[in-house]
Amino acid sequence: MKKSAAFFAFFLVSGSAYAVVPTPTLPAPPPMPAPQIGGVKAAVLLDVNTDQILLDQNGNTSFDPSGLVKLMTAYLLYQAEAQKMVQPGERISVSVDAWHAPGSRMFIQPGLPVTVDQLTHGLLIDGGNDAAIAIAQAVAGSVGGFVDLMNREAAGMGLRQTHFVNPDGMPTPGQRSTAVDMARLARALLVKFPQVAKIAGQASYQYNHITQYNYNPLAGQKDITGLGVGLASADNWDLAVSASKDGRGLVAVILGASSRAVAGTDASAMLHYGFHGWQERQVYPAGAIVAQLKRVDWSPETLSVITPKTIQVVVPKPSQGKVESRFVADPTLQAPLKANTQVGTLDLLWNGKVLKSEPVLAKNAVAKAGWFSRLWHRVRGSL
């Protein structure tokens, strides 16, 4: 007997063919349940392409992010390289402060040659605090100046619950962040500087004849691309892991795990859930009209609202249900309005739950209508 997706076909018996019988309609299997991450302070899973939070356990509560601070240090280093302030092959002078940095180290020292690229490896693979101090001084001239840049960049990214005190993540009063903020910082780093994945996912590197191994317990595994590890205190591990598969990227953040191994096991379960329990869908192409607003005191009377870019969402598997959209106009909209001005947001919903919100723009400009135009609009509307 041969079975297809649509029907069963039966054997011929005594020269007669039996009728094709449709298969019964079966209910769709339930969506993959989210893993329950126990024994940690916070856990967040974020989809990189869509910026959607797929799993959130205590993700907006502030904690010491410890070594995950280095994600911002790396971001500013890559930004400085893009601005030609430093170059990967450039030799950096190592200060005494960097040499004597406590905690994890790549063992740089004054007088020993080290390049920006080598510091990047030391920062991202074994979380070298000495590398972080040397990078801060090379980019901003001082650690204090670099920390100012870190907080300015965090504010620009909208990381409202994050405040940095140092570039290395050593526990210091006042340094705080959340799992959601760290996930969004990791996403910004991956999106703007994708070259980070070529280094952060490596299992080891060598500097000055010393082989250092990646503290990330998932480093070197298939699809894993980084990103950072931190130890806030004894039995208090933080981990940010990025992974890429079939064109999708995910970031899993764990704060406050009891061990590095536990953090890795939890992050692995989260990544599996993200890749196998969710799928990507395109909802609108760039430039799609999603709403039209009419006002008699506008000229022209109609304002078309468009998407500035392709809008994608990830939805639970199996793909049962419908993605719906809801335009929310800016309540303060007034003419005149220029084309490409943001006029509101578009909520994308799955079974009534908001998956994400995207800004939407005016396709055309509108001006204030004169008295004759307003009168004509009213007359035409009454016909």
Side-chain angles (χ1 to χ4, degrees), residues 71-81 139 146 149-150 153 193:
L71 298 179
M72 181 60 84
T73 303
Y75 185 95
L76 291 176
L77 173 60
Y78 281 120
Q79 184 170 266
E81 288 182 8
V139 171
F146 190 81
L149 293 177
M150 295 172 73
E153 199 67 43
F193 305 111

Side-chain angles (χ1 to χ4, degrees), residues 30-162:
M32 178 182 289
Q36 298 301 305
I37 308 301
V40 303
K41 292 181 178 178
V44 162
L45 178 66
L46 180 140
D47 182 85
V48 173
N49 291 351
T50 64
D51 197 28
Q52 279 177 243
I53 300 292
L54 308 185
L55 182 150
D56 183 345
Q57 290 185 202
N58 209 23
N60 285 299
T61 302
S62 291
F63 298 105
D64 180 355
S66 64
L68 302 191
V69 163
K70 295 184 179 79
L71 298 179
M72 181 60 84
T73 303
Y75 185 95
L76 291 176
L77 173 60
Y78 281 120
Q79 184 170 266
E81 288 182 8
Q83 296 170 350
K84 308 298 183 183
M85 295 172 59
V86 295
Q87 296 298 313
E90 178 182 343
R91 286 193 177 188
I92 298 300
S93 177
V94 177
S95 70
V96 173
D97 286 343
W99 179 29
H100 291 304
S104 58
R105 301 169 62 195
M106 65 175 288
F107 302 108
I108 55 177
Q109 57 184 280
L112 185 67
V114 65
T115 65
V116 169
D117 181 65
Q118 289 171 323
L119 289 173
T120 307
H121 281 72
L123 179 79
L124 292 170
I125 295 177
D126 83 318
N129 293 337
D130 49 357
I133 299 298
I135 288 168
Q137 292 172 333
V139 171
S142 68
V143 170
F146 190 81
V147 171
D148 288 342
L149 293 177
M150 295 172 73
N151 286 313
R152 191 181 310 167
E153 199 67 43
M157 291 180 183
L159 309 182
R160 297 181 179 87
Q161 299 189 74
T162 296

Side-chain angles (χ1 to χ4, degrees), residues 330-344:
D330 184 338
T332 65
L333 278 185
Q334 290 184 347
L337 288 170
K338 295 180 180 179
N340 296 318
T341 300
Q342 183 175 339
V343 293

Side-chain angles (χ1 to χ4, degrees), residues 280-299:
E280 192 172 272
R281 277 191 181 179
Q282 178 177 314
V283 184
Y284 292 106
I289 296 176
V290 295
Q292 290 187 317
L293 304 179
K294 288 190 176 183
R295 293 267 295 265
V296 296
D297 58 342
W298 287 354
S299 180

